[in-house]
Amino acid sequence: MVFTGKTKNLGVIGYPIKHSLSPVIQNTAIQEAGIDYAYIAMPIAPEDLEKAVIGLKALNFTGFNVTIPHKVNIMQYLDEIDEMAKLIGAVNTVHIKDGKLYGYNTDAIGFINPLLKENVEIKDKTAVILGAGGACRAVVCGLIKQGIKNIVLAVRNPAKAQLLANDFNDLVDIKVCDWHSEEFKQYLAQADLLVNTTPLGMEGNIDSKPPVDWESVKKSAFVYDIVYIPAETKFLQEAKEYGHKILNGERMLAEQGAAALHLWTDKDINVDIMVKTLHDYLNKNK
């Protein structure tokens, strides 16, 4: 890949950021599409966020992704925010166009597209979501957009989760339960889709998992863990042992990245090569 004075700049901001795999998959997709862009990771401390946004605009960046801890705070520095990003309450993609900053959130489409490609039915179905953190909001929004009928948030702290549920009460039948309760087992029996949005099971915490009684889970339920390191968490391993179809977060990461790249370039993006690149990279760097 040759960079020149005409090469347009893209990137991701966060703090820390050195763990980010976005440059790996984005630059692969850029090369595959034959477009003249370069994508880099940029560590921006929270106290430097405003200066960084002004600087990226001054440097004529085309756009940038936003990750922890800036997804909410970035919103105050943007000129316009997309409706989906407003509903989620966070921005993960910024497009700089004609001197203005436009905020989007591609996490919901990143979550949903892999399900659609697996031909998982969502409309009029029931989803049980484990956890109610930032990632959960994007998952809920994506499911609502696809016509989900019922959502249950199963969590350790029902009072906190209820605050999130209240934001979506007008859009879907959404309930909250303690995942240590008998009520949780009843909801598991109704679930068509079971999603883990917690960090339980991810690298550094691989021996942990949500307390799911697999005997209670409907046999036809599809099980999705948005964690992608490791490729199979204990949660997914158990689901597979009980005969469930499973999916990890690799494709979600690629899909949200592809959606951002399409926003910036208006080009069709090869998501499959992004997934393969991510998968191969993770396997080589276990």
Side-chain angles (χ1 to χ4, degrees):
M1 208 169 201
V2 178
F3 301 119
T4 70
K6 295 179 182 177
T7 302
K8 295 176 182 177
N9 294 313
L10 299 167
V12 56
I13 64 170
Y15 198 77
I17 199 64
K18 62 184 178 182
H19 66 283
S20 176
L21 298 181
S22 291
V24 175
I25 60 174
Q26 293 286 25
N27 285 312
T28 298
I30 286 166
Q31 193 165 4
E32 167 78 7
I35 49 181
D36 194 9
Y37 288 82
Y39 186 104
I40 60 171
M42 297 169 282
I44 307 295
E47 62 269 22
D48 294 328
L49 182 59
E50 183 177 11
K51 288 183 285 186
V53 172
I54 293 168
L56 290 168
K57 184 177 176 182
L59 287 166
N60 288 313
F61 265 64
T62 296
F64 54 95
N65 285 128
V66 185
T67 189
I68 296 169
H70 304 313
K71 284 186 174 187
V72 175
N73 289 339
I74 189 76
M75 297 172 80
Q76 62 190 301
Y77 305 120
L78 305 179
D79 296 296
E80 290 188 30
I81 298 173
D82 173 72
E83 286 305 313
M84 178 62 81
K86 285 180 183 175
L87 191 60
I88 294 171
V91 162
N92 79 333
T93 302
V94 176
H95 189 190
I96 304 173
K97 188 177 180 183
D98 300 326
K100 285 193 170 185
L101 288 88
Y102 299 86
Y104 301 89
N105 194 305
T106 63
D107 284 333
I109 195 168
F111 170 78
I112 286 294
N113 278 356
L115 285 173
L116 299 181
K117 288 178 180 177
E118 292 283 342
N119 297 313
V120 176
E121 288 186 33
I122 300 172
K123 187 174 172 57
D124 295 329
K125 300 295 183 180
T126 296
V128 171
I129 302 172
L130 305 170
C136 176
R137 296 187 70 92
V139 169
V140 169
C141 287
L143 291 172
I144 289 172
K145 198 164 185 184
Q146 292 298 318
I148 197 82
K149 185 177 182 181
N150 303 295
I151 293 175
V152 177
L153 305 181
V155 295
R156 283 178 288 202
N157 185 342
K160 183 181 174 185
Q162 189 61 54
L163 296 175
L164 186 155
N166 291 345
D167 290 341
F168 298 100
N169 265 336
D170 294 339
L171 301 173
V172 70
D173 180 0
I174 184 167
K175 298 182 178 69
V176 173
C177 75
D178 186 321
W179 66 19
H180 291 297
S181 66
E182 282 300 314
E183 186 184 28
F184 178 42
K185 291 182 180 180
Q186 294 169 17
Y187 286 131
L188 285 175
Q190 300 166 21
D192 302 295
L193 175 65
L194 177 61
V195 185
N196 177 41
T197 69
T198 77
L200 294 175
M202 72 188 299
E203 191 176 45
N205 201 14
I206 61 170
D207 291 326
S208 61
K209 57 185 174 62
V212 172
D213 174 10
W214 293 102
E215 295 289 347
S216 300
V217 183
K218 190 195 303 187
K219 297 303 179 187
S220 60
F222 190 94
V223 180
Y224 192 168
D225 194 333
I226 67 170
V227 171
Y228 58 89
I229 305 176
E232 272 193 19
T233 57
K234 284 205 166 186
F235 172 72
L236 285 186
Q237 288 170 15
E238 289 184 355
K240 191 161 76 170
E241 286 168 10
Y242 276 83
H244 296 281
K245 288 185 178 178
I246 63 170
L247 185 68
N248 72 6
E250 285 181 2
R251 185 167 278 274
M252 178 178 173
L253 178 65
E255 289 277 2
Q256 65 84 17
L261 198 50
H262 177 72
L263 274 170
W264 296 321
T265 67
D266 203 30
K267 300 290 183 184
D268 291 331
I269 305 302
N270 186 339
V271 182
D272 290 334
I273 199 167
M274 295 174 83
V275 175
K276 183 180 185 307
T277 299
L278 175 62
H279 189 76
D280 291 348
Y281 181 88
L282 292 172
N283 280 339
K284 283 179 190 173
N285 294 274
K286 279 182 178 178

